[in-house]
Amino acid sequence: MHLHRLEKIWLSFGIAMLAVFLIVLGATAFGSGMKPPSEHHHAIDPTKVSETAPFDKPGLTQTGDKQYEAVLVAYAFGYEPQTLEVPVGSTVDFMITSSDVVHGFNIIGTNVNLMVEPGEVSHISHVFDKPGEYLIICNEYCGTGHEYMKTTIVVK
Ligand code: CUA
């Protein structure tokens, strides 16, 4: 009699533990399916570019040996930052977005030629194996200041 009651208690305890385990498992699975879409689609709110990392601090970061990440913001009519400088032989991983309309990102003398759309983050990498001053221009008509929209990368 006494043993039977103890068995019942242990059985209920076991069922309770199983239920807790299943709830935790379910919550974990549900949670992983609820990630914000920005992690998959590289979307950005164009009106909040100046407060959204890494675009709140445009510029160059060294990420490895001769490897750099360049974060740029295109706007009417210019690019932030105004100029970048890297050593010869550097690979630069560009991350660009627009804070207003569609712009271009064309590095003269290279095959880098992108469309930069508001709400999207564009990625492209380029190896700068020749020294010089590379001009970056906008090749999408974006308004009256379109032809003045430029920045430079100094490679030395
Ligand atoms: Cu920006 Cu044309």
Side-chain angles (χ1 to χ4, degrees), residues 50-147:
S50 62
E51 350 170 344
T52 307
F55 298 102
D56 54 340
K57 291 182 188 108
L60 207 62
T61 313
Q62 186 159 13
T63 52
D65 185 32
K66 294 211 165 182
Q67 184 99 26
Y68 293 85
E69 184 178 75
V71 173
L72 287 108
V73 176
Y75 60 92
F77 301 97
Y79 298 91
E80 201 54 58
Q82 290 295 303
T83 184
L84 298 167
E85 194 181 305
V86 294
V88 182
S90 296
T91 300
V92 181
D93 303 313
F94 292 96
M95 258 179 100
I96 318 142
T97 195
S98 166
S99 55
D100 41 49
V101 297
V102 174
H103 295 286
F105 185 80
N106 183 196
I107 308 178
I108 304 298
T110 74
N111 58 1
V112 175
N113 192 355
L114 287 182
M115 200 193 230
V116 182
E117 292 175 78
E120 302 281 328
V121 177
S122 301
H123 295 260
I124 197 161
S125 295
H126 186 74
V127 182
F128 292 91
D129 45 20
K130 286 194 196 87
E133 206 170 304
Y134 292 75
L135 184 66
I136 298 173
I137 60 156
C138 177
N139 55 6
E140 295 288 330
Y141 184 75
C142 53
T144 51
H146 165 70
E147 62 252 58

